[in-house]
Amino acid sequence: MVEDLREVLARFESAGRLARVRVPVDPRFELAGICTRAHRDPRLRDRVLLFEQVRGAELPVVANLFNTREKVAFALGVAESELLTVGVRALERPRPPVEVAAGPCQEVVREPPDLRVLPLCTNSELDGGPYVTAGLHITANPETGARNVGVQRNMYHAPDRLGIWMAPTHMFQHYRLAEEHGAPLPVAIAVGVHPALLVASQFRLAFDEDELAAAGGLLGAPVELVRCRTVPLHVPAAAEVVIEGEVLPQVREREGPFGEFARLYGQARDLPVVRVKAITHRRDALWHNVIAATVPENAVIGSVGREPALFRAVRAAVPTVTAVHMPIGSGANFHALIALRKTVEGEPQKAAFAAFAHQDLIKHVVVVDDDIDIYDLSDVDYALATRFRADRDLYIIPRVKGNPLDPAADEYATGRATVAKLIVDATKPLAAPPEHYRFAQVPAEVMARIAQDWPRYFG
Ligand SMILES: Cc1cc2nc3c(=O)[nH]c(=O)nc-3n(C[C@H](O)[C@H](O)[C@H](O)COP(=O)(O)O)c2cc1C
Ligand SMILES: [Mn+2]
């Protein structure tokens, strides 16, 4: 059996890292407010929160599971410094899921469904309603049958209707193909899954490649699936809750605003609608809420999920690339940091172009030498301070295809967004004499002796 979300939570609890909130909490703003404050509090930041009583709902809510990269690493059972490596390995060695006859996600079947039994949360002040925020959307290509998995938000419209916002994702391609034939697109929305599944859902795979196989690669074991009750799809057997339904063709309803990863509101628009056909769940199911704006959970999942494919793309262009990082403060979208061992001048620029080509949202690329730790922004700051010269190392490429989620883009939110791209080359010039950049250090043999004698000094 593969580990499930509960077993991950049990590991957090054994490590003293699960905080249970036992008093009743309002899913409208109060829950998000507590998560926001806990994220800012150094004593609570590293805890996962379990809200045992959420007003108006039976299910407890898990939250702040993804507010730091370290938590994702802990959930995956690896060190934070290994996240890139395990992601790349999962991309290279996918393990297709397997079907099982029955699973706990269908212990209770609610048909007809009523979304009001679920603790959908309202996280930001102007949000258009309560949202499903951690829903793994599983669909099949209407032409090839190939599975796709991504996370989309769903706004509550009615007891059996949810809104959905699909950027030009693979899922949106499925929807377009179905809609062209006037047909609904069956969808299964799994909530409360192992963190590996959410991370894998953010991998940049090719169209018709299965993110659940990549999730199996991350877990080191195939994900187990059960057949849905009312739609021709399969879902992770261990999910806490599954919402089965179909995205209706030609139907649009007002959705939004919604507090987004850029800490701004996505504006209200007329967007497609999911007609819910059934809700299935575990007998004592948990709900999972993810916050995008006031806690950087989208950015954290996105950074861990997007870096591996970015690394492969940049390494294909410049083989001496040693790491890439999409820092959380940039929403893990607008900035990419690249570390490489430069062998000829111009390689940093080439690496930056590979990053721009890989992901539309990447706008500013900083390239550093491989002795800089790009996961430590203070180290990147050091490289900028000492190895970068604005008159020589700065490159601006105007009017490149950007992304409508970028508030700085021309025609923000119209779909015709262009932006300027920036390359900052903070690598040392190859021609610089070595002594010029020699780090000042305590002699190595003295450091070694001190390490041996360490208890003597503070014993
Ligand atoms: C918490 C979270 C929420 C997200 N919400 C949305 C969303 O509402 N709409 C969307 O298009 N993408 C959203 N994304 C990004 C997609 O899940 C991501 O681009 C995914 O890789 C798309 O997969 P696909 O191209 O295989 O369909 C979200 C990501 C995360 C981590
Ligand atoms: Mn996909």
Side-chain angles (χ1 to χ4, degrees):
M1 272 290 283
V2 206
E3 197 183 43
D4 63 15
L5 175 62
R6 288 174 187 210
E7 288 160 336
V8 173
L9 296 176
R11 280 197 284 118
F12 273 103
E13 187 150 43
S14 311
R17 300 186 54 180
L18 185 83
R20 292 173 180 272
V21 179
R22 297 197 166 86
V23 297
V25 164
D26 196 328
R28 186 175 146 84
F29 304 139
E30 188 183 8
L31 190 144
I34 295 165
C35 291
T36 302
R37 191 176 160 115
H39 174 70
R40 293 173 185 163
D41 180 340
R43 287 163 310 156
L44 286 169
R45 187 185 194 121
D46 295 336
R47 308 281 176 92
V48 175
L49 304 183
L50 184 65
F51 294 92
E52 293 187 344
Q53 291 189 59
V54 180
R55 281 209 182 85
E58 284 165 33
L59 281 63
V61 176
V62 181
N64 279 17
L65 180 54
F66 291 119
N67 59 321
T68 70
R69 287 168 63 95
E70 186 280 328
K71 276 185 181 162
V72 180
F74 184 88
L76 298 181
V78 301
E80 194 180 342
S81 59
E82 294 173 309
L83 283 171
L84 182 64
T85 318
V86 297
V88 169
R89 203 186 316 135
L91 288 177
E92 287 168 354
R93 289 183 228 157
R95 300 186 65 157
V98 292
E99 183 172 350
V100 295
C105 71
Q106 294 176 338
E107 282 169 354
V108 178
V109 177
R110 293 181 188 259
E111 192 186 353
D114 186 341
L115 290 164
R116 288 171 298 186
V117 301
L118 303 174
L120 271 57
C121 299
T122 312
N123 292 336
S124 296
E125 187 175 10
L126 302 184
D127 281 5
Y131 273 86
V132 178
T133 52
L136 205 63
H137 286 55
I138 300 172
T139 55
N141 180 330
E143 286 174 349
T144 66
R147 177 171 30 240
N148 188 71
V149 183
V151 178
Q152 271 83 20
R153 69 178 191 236
N154 308 100
M155 192 179 92
Y156 177 87
H157 284 311
D160 65 347
R161 282 166 91 84
L162 289 168
I164 180 168
W165 148 236
M166 291 170 280
T169 53
H170 292 155
M171 182 184 172
F172 182 64
Q173 297 300 329
H174 289 183
Y175 177 61
R176 267 230 297 256
L177 289 170
E179 198 176 39
E180 272 169 23
H181 295 98
L185 176 72
V187 61
I189 306 172
V191 178
V193 295
H194 192 288
L197 274 62
L198 283 163
V199 168
S201 79
Q202 302 305 298
F203 281 171
R204 288 290 180 270
L205 303 185
F207 191 51
D208 276 0
E209 278 180 351
D210 183 2
E211 284 84 0
L212 287 183
L218 262 186
L219 286 163
V223 178
E224 295 179 343
L225 304 178
V226 290
R227 175 174 285 281
C228 288
R229 295 304 180 102
T230 62
V231 289
L233 295 167
H234 289 80
V235 283
E240 295 290 331
V241 179
V242 178
I243 300 169
E244 299 182 5
E246 51 192 21
V247 196
L248 303 173
Q250 313 301 340
V251 177
R252 301 290 185 271
E253 283 179 28
R254 208 69 181 158
E255 194 271 0
F258 181 73
E260 273 279 7
F261 75 91
R263 298 159 60 184
L264 308 169
Y265 287 101
Q267 296 308 307
R269 282 172 296 170
D270 294 327
L271 296 181
V273 170
V274 180
R275 183 177 75 86
V276 180
K277 297 168 85 171
I279 297 172
T280 75
H281 60 85
R282 289 187 176 218
R283 216 164 280 122
D284 49 354
L286 303 171
W287 185 251
H288 182 195
N289 184 53
V290 162
I291 301 179
T294 58
V295 182
E297 292 193 277
N298 282 42
V300 165
I301 309 169
S303 74
V304 177
R306 284 189 290 270
E307 285 165 1
L310 177 67
F311 178 70
R312 281 165 59 92
V314 177
R315 191 182 53 180
V318 180
T320 54
V321 167
T322 54
V324 301
H325 179 39
M326 307 185 75
I328 306 307
S330 78
N333 270 315
F334 300 127
H335 292 176
L337 310 176
I338 299 175
L340 50 73
R341 192 165 40 76
K342 186 166 65 172
T343 60
V344 291
E345 291 299 345
E347 272 176 339
Q349 292 84 337
K350 186 178 176 195
F353 281 120
F356 293 140
H358 191 250
Q359 291 178 34
D360 275 359
L361 276 162
I362 295 177
K363 199 164 61 170
H364 305 147
V365 174
V366 177
V367 187
V368 298
D369 299 300
D370 67 340
D371 62 342
I372 298 294
D373 178 2
I374 52 175
Y375 297 94
D376 177 353
L377 294 183
S378 176
D379 225 22
V380 176
D381 214 19
Y382 168 80
L384 283 172
T386 57
R387 302 179 184 181
F388 165 75
R389 229 173 66 182
D391 64 339
R392 182 187 66 190
D393 301 323
L394 183 84
Y395 305 85
I396 297 169
I397 305 108
R399 295 169 57 78
V400 184
K401 179 180 186 295
N403 187 293
L405 292 174
D406 178 357
D410 296 330
E411 306 197 51
Y412 173 43
T414 63
R416 293 185 297 274
T418 60
V419 284
K421 304 276 172 164
L422 172 69
I423 302 172
V424 171
D425 176 6
T427 60
K428 296 176 283 192
L430 285 172
E435 62 274 17
H436 191 104
Y437 282 106
R438 180 171 174 173
F439 283 119
Q441 279 174 321
V442 177
E445 62 275 15
V446 176
M447 288 306 286
R449 205 163 59 230
I450 288 172
Q452 261 184 359
D453 291 348
W454 197 242
R456 207 161 58 80
Y457 302 114
F458 299 101

